[in-house]
Structures are given as structure tokens and as C-alpha cells.
Amino acid sequence: MKDLNRIDLNLLVYLDVLLRERNVTQAANQLGLSQPAMSNGLRRLRDLFNDPLLVRTSDGMSPTARALELEPLIRDVLAGVERAIQPTSDFDPSDANQVIRVMASDYAESTLFPTVIGELREQAPGLTLDVMTPSDVSFLDVERGKIDLVINRFDQMPQSFHQITLWSDPFTCLMSRDNPILSQFDLRAYLNADHIWVSKTGMGVGVGVDPDDVQRLGWVDTALAQMNEQRRIRVFTRHYQAAMTLAEENDLIVTLPSRATWLKRDNPRVVVMPVPFEVPPLELKMAWSPLLQHNPAHRWVRQTITRIARELNA
């Protein structure tokens, strides 16, 4: 029992973050600690396990064989503790009175959230939904549980996050019914036209767009680059509604996920056309921190959003 008496649960949390970040400073920042406090925690961990755990190499801090062996065990222990301290009573949405903070792209907010908000208002009228933009939120905010859910397309995200794909959406082109290229809309006509680029910025602080940095422009421009082609972008926006309105009034084309164009399906002034080349579909994902995985209210909201997405995709 001597070794058990030496174990501070906080040390296991430190080790979990250290093995994920492999950087003392970043681990300290994530846990809200000073670097000396984090370094002291690492010293205590090395003493506890009689192993250096993380060693400095040319690639930074690298885990030892013992650390790699411990990594899944530590995460299982922390997950078990997290489950143990969650409320045991069933969640009753009709009695819920709390704020759910969700980071969502403009696309998700336009296509998914009208139905989600309608159902939440009916089943859980005491819930308040705070919808934030990607540039408002960092992955660290999500990992710490400050943000309940993130709903967007993601090129990458921390491995510790739980995630689910809500739907897959192919791209289409939206343009004015009076656009002259409609008479022969093919790849050459597409490339000769002027375009609206629409997307949300990534997680964290938003930045401007470099038109020549094709790899950062997204799937449409990457697909064109693979054919050694490039479209002529005249307008950059982060808002789907604004992009579609511009396409309605001008000789511009906007290429965007099909579900967004459904918002204009009753508008006689626009036409939706297939993209004249292959573009990978957008995968709308929902992700959340492992800290919230077993929270009853959080689980109910996740399940509700997932079910609604499945129904809309049917």
C-alpha cells in the first residue's frame, strides 16, 4: 500500500497531458499551471514510476517505452474516475436549466441548427444555446470542456477528442439564372468565370486569405490544382448566405456543399448545377472533449443532434 499512498490523482492528469503534448510548457499552459509547477510534477512522476518517462531528443520530448506502456492505462484510469463522479440520476431535458456552448460553422448553423434549435426549444425549453464561430474558439477551449461541442469540417483535431460524422455532403454550383455560361456549363466555362470563395476560418484567431496559397483554400481549389487548373476568385467571404446572395445578383459562381444551396431552392432567380469536376464531399463532424463524454446532459444533447442529422440526411 505504500506506493498507492504516494499517488496523487493530479499527477496522473499531468502525465496524461504530458504524453499528449510531449512538451512541458504546452502541458503547463493546458492545465493552467506555471512551467516550474509542471516540471516539478514531471520530477514526481519520474520518481513514482522510477523511469524518465519523457526524454529530450532532436525531435523534442520523446516518451520512453515505459511511458508508452502507461499511456493507455492512465487514460483508462482517468476515464473511470470521470465516470464515477458524474451524476447517477437520469437526465430530464424538460427540467434542464443550463447553457450549452457550441462552436459551429456558418454552414452547420444554416443547414442543421434550425431543426436542432426547434427540437431543443420543444423538449428542453430551459436550455440556452450559445453558438460560437470557429475563430472564437481554440482546441484547448474544447479539450478543457469550456466548449461543449464543435460542429464543422476538420482537417485535423486532437486525438483525445471524441467525434462522429453527422453527414457527408457533395458540392454543387449556385449561380444566377441569367448567368451567360449556363448555355454550356462545362469545366472550361467554370474556369473562365469569376468565383466566390466561401468557407469559415479554422479554430482560433481568424486570418485573411492568400489567393495564391491553393492548399489552404480548401477542397475545391485542391481538386483543381490536382488537374493543374486554378479558378479565378474575385470575392472571399466566410458566410454562406452572403455568398449565395452575391451569386444571385451577379455573374459570379459559388461552389459550396449542396445542403447550403437547399436554402435557395424556392428562389427562382438562381440555378443549382453539378460541379463539372470531381470534388470530395464535405464531412460534417461533431467533436467534444473526453471530459464531457459521460455527462448526462451533454450525452442527451449529442444524441439529439446526431438523430436530427441522421433524419435530415435520410
Side-chain angles (χ1 to χ4, degrees):
M1 296 296 294
K2 180 179 179 181
D3 285 340
L4 285 178
N5 291 333
R6 297 170 60 202
I7 296 177
D8 177 350
L9 182 60
N10 285 326
L11 286 179
L12 301 186
V13 176
Y14 295 178
L15 181 56
D16 180 49
V17 177
L18 279 165
L19 292 176
R20 189 159 59 240
E21 297 294 334
R22 302 187 183 186
N23 181 289
V24 173
T25 301
Q26 291 177 12
N29 290 338
Q30 182 169 325
L31 291 168
L33 300 173
S34 67
Q35 185 169 339
M38 192 75 251
S39 297
N40 181 58
L42 179 56
R43 283 194 294 272
R44 293 172 62 193
L45 284 162
R46 286 168 169 166
D47 179 60
L48 177 64
F49 291 104
N50 193 29
D51 187 271
L53 298 174
L54 288 165
V55 295
R56 193 172 301 281
T57 68
S58 58
D59 294 327
M61 298 290 281
S62 297
T64 64
R66 175 64 171 149
L68 292 174
E69 176 186 312
L70 287 169
E71 188 169 18
L73 301 176
I74 296 299
R75 289 185 181 173
D76 285 346
V77 168
L78 293 177
V81 172
E82 196 268 337
R83 284 195 299 271
I85 63 177
Q86 291 296 338
T88 56
S89 59
D90 292 335
F91 174 70
D92 183 355
S94 64
D95 289 337
N97 184 14
Q98 63 190 86
V99 177
I100 301 294
R101 291 185 171 83
V102 182
M103 183 286 285
S105 64
D106 182 57
Y107 163 78
E109 195 171 1
S110 298
T111 59
L112 174 62
F113 272 53
T115 307
V116 167
I117 291 172
E119 184 146 342
L120 292 183
R121 292 293 303 144
E122 180 179 343
Q123 295 194 40
L127 284 184
T128 299
L129 197 63
D130 182 9
V131 183
M132 308 173 78
T133 69
S135 58
D136 293 330
V137 175
S138 70
F139 279 131
L140 181 57
D141 294 328
V142 181
E143 194 153 28
R144 288 179 174 175
K146 293 182 179 180
I147 306 300
D148 292 279
L149 294 166
V150 290
I151 302 177
N152 201 349
R153 64 172 179 86
F154 298 98
D155 296 326
Q156 59 183 3
M157 70 174 68
Q159 291 184 350
S160 62
F161 284 17
H162 295 276
Q163 61 174 295
I164 187 172
T165 299
L166 296 176
W167 65 48
S168 181
D169 194 4
F171 282 77
T172 52
C173 296
L174 182 79
M175 66 193 81
S176 167
R177 186 173 293 278
D178 298 325
N179 196 313
I181 69 171
L182 273 175
S183 59
Q184 188 174 354
F185 186 59
D186 55 16
L187 177 60
R188 189 50 46 195
Y190 183 93
L191 296 173
N192 288 333
D194 290 334
H195 292 264
I196 306 164
W197 177 94
V198 57
S199 181
K200 290 301 291 183
T201 55
M203 300 282 283
V205 178
V207 295
V209 174
D210 180 356
D212 296 322
D213 192 354
V214 173
Q215 296 303 317
R216 293 183 179 272
L217 291 181
W219 290 322
V220 174
D221 298 279
T222 298
L224 285 170
Q226 290 171 350
M227 300 186 296
N228 295 317
E229 301 286 3
Q230 186 174 358
R231 60 176 173 166
R232 191 168 57 233
I233 302 172
R234 295 305 188 198
V235 179
F236 290 88
T237 180
R238 277 75 177 168
H239 301 283
Y240 283 80
Q241 289 282 11
M244 290 188 289
T245 299
L246 289 171
E248 175 185 331
E249 301 293 343
N250 296 278
D251 59 345
L252 294 163
I253 300 174
V254 59
T255 306
L256 69 174
S258 297
R259 288 183 179 276
T261 68
W262 292 1
L263 302 174
K264 295 286 186 177
R265 59 183 174 269
D266 296 326
N267 187 333
R269 294 193 290 181
V270 294
V271 176
V272 177
M273 298 289 289
V275 181
F277 55 95
E278 188 172 344
V279 183
L282 177 149
E283 287 195 342
L284 185 67
K285 294 181 180 292
M286 178 169 66
W288 59 94
S289 167
L291 296 176
L292 298 171
Q293 169 69 3
H294 302 286
N295 180 281
H298 195 273
R299 184 168 56 242
W300 180 83
V301 172
R302 292 195 318 261
Q303 291 172 347
T304 299
I305 292 174
T306 302
R307 175 179 53 76
I308 290 171
R310 297 287 189 266
E311 291 172 353
L312 290 174
N313 199 41

